[in-house]
Amino acid sequence: MLASGILGETAESMMRALKNGAGGVVTKSIGMEPRDGYLNPTVYSFQEGLLNAMGLPNPGMENYKQVIEKLKKESGGIVIGSIFGKDEQEFGALAKTMSSLKVDGLELNLSCPHAKGVGSEIGSDPDMVERVVKSARTHASVPVWAKLTPNTDSISSLAISAEKGGADAIVAINTVRAMAISARLRMPVLSNRYGGLSGKAVKHVGLRCVYEIYESVHIPVIGVGGIYTGEDAAEYLMAGASAFEIGTAVAERGPQVFSAVNRQLFAFMKKEHFSTIGEMIGIAHRQT
Ligand SMILES: Cc1cc2nc3c(=O)[nH]c(=O)nc-3n(C[C@H](O)[C@H](O)[C@H](O)COP(=O)(O)O)c2cc1C
């Protein structure tokens, strides 16, 4: 699937991901009100990935409705609506509106590492995670996924709280809180100073988180973080993911990444004598 925040601006851009072999798309994270995000520079790109502090820019739920309606009507594909809020009331209200748009599921952004009062600022507190998930679950008519932050000393505790709150799946990981300094300018590169690291640089953090969560909860885990190739995807499946999302690789290489990863994954399975994806899920736990 396409990860949240990449190509999620318009119905057309998300349709390009579906046409190129994505099994589904996760929209950019949508809040109650329109929001501009931070001033530029908001993205720093380097060989091992991206550092971004966009600040959750989005048109607000009311204005985004038409994007989802168009996407559902014209693509017929699987669409997961990502939402963020400051407390359980906001998450509940957004869950209700988003599910009324006939999305196939909701992803709760409990994990953006650089926005004030939302994202990981509330998603690092296990009690808050449970309350938010419970509220979204009560108001939603579709499955609810909790997307967690790796910027914590125990992502498993957050996953257990999300499961207690009624989450149908856990998504791991969002970006890793980080920064870049320009030695020449003698100052932080991003206008917000701190941002979220993604891409190749975070794959091994993501794998560790998925592996830990798989041992802690009974609901499915969806892996995301630094997947560029079919073999990266296989590693996430073996760590315990039942599905995976791709973000930075799509931003860097375009939506053709989906068909390439699918092709490489099937070639890998053939070579390694796996006949179904299910045979790979969690296998790394049985080998240790
Ligand atoms: C530019 C950019 C914007 C993002 N925006 C969001 C967002 O709105 N909501 C969210 O839950 N995650 C967001 N993410 C995080 C990604 O969905 C993903 O969890 C993370 O980048 C790790 O996966 P990757 O290495 O494949 O990119 C964003 C990531 C990037 C690079």
Side-chain angles (χ1 to χ4, degrees), residues 71-86:
L71 179 61
K72 275 306 303 179
K73 193 159 148 236
E74 293 183 17
S75 76
I78 302 286
V79 179
I80 308 299
S82 171
I83 53 176
F84 74 93
K86 69 174 181 343

Side-chain angles (χ1 to χ4, degrees), residues 119-196:
S120 64
E121 281 198 8
I122 61 164
S124 312
D125 171 0
D127 291 337
M128 188 64 161
V129 167
E130 186 177 340
R131 288 208 301 277
V132 164
V133 172
K134 197 176 235 162
S135 170
R137 197 75 214 74
T138 312
H139 290 89
S141 47
V142 295
V144 169
W145 303 350
K147 184 172 180 184
L148 301 181
T149 178
N151 305 305
T152 168
D153 60 353
S154 173
I155 198 167
S156 293
S157 315
L158 300 175
I160 291 165
S161 295
E163 185 178 41
K164 271 198 215 142
D168 297 282
I170 304 292
V171 183
I173 55 172
N174 208 313
T175 51
V176 178
R177 192 166 159 85
M179 78 182 299
I181 302 271
S182 163
R184 221 170 28 83
L185 299 176
R186 306 174 191 186
M187 63 188 286
V189 172
L190 299 176
S191 76
N192 183 58
R193 295 182 292 160
Y194 308 110

Side-chain angles (χ1 to χ4, degrees), residues 3 25 35 191 288:
V25 294
R35 181 171 162 133
S191 76
T288 50

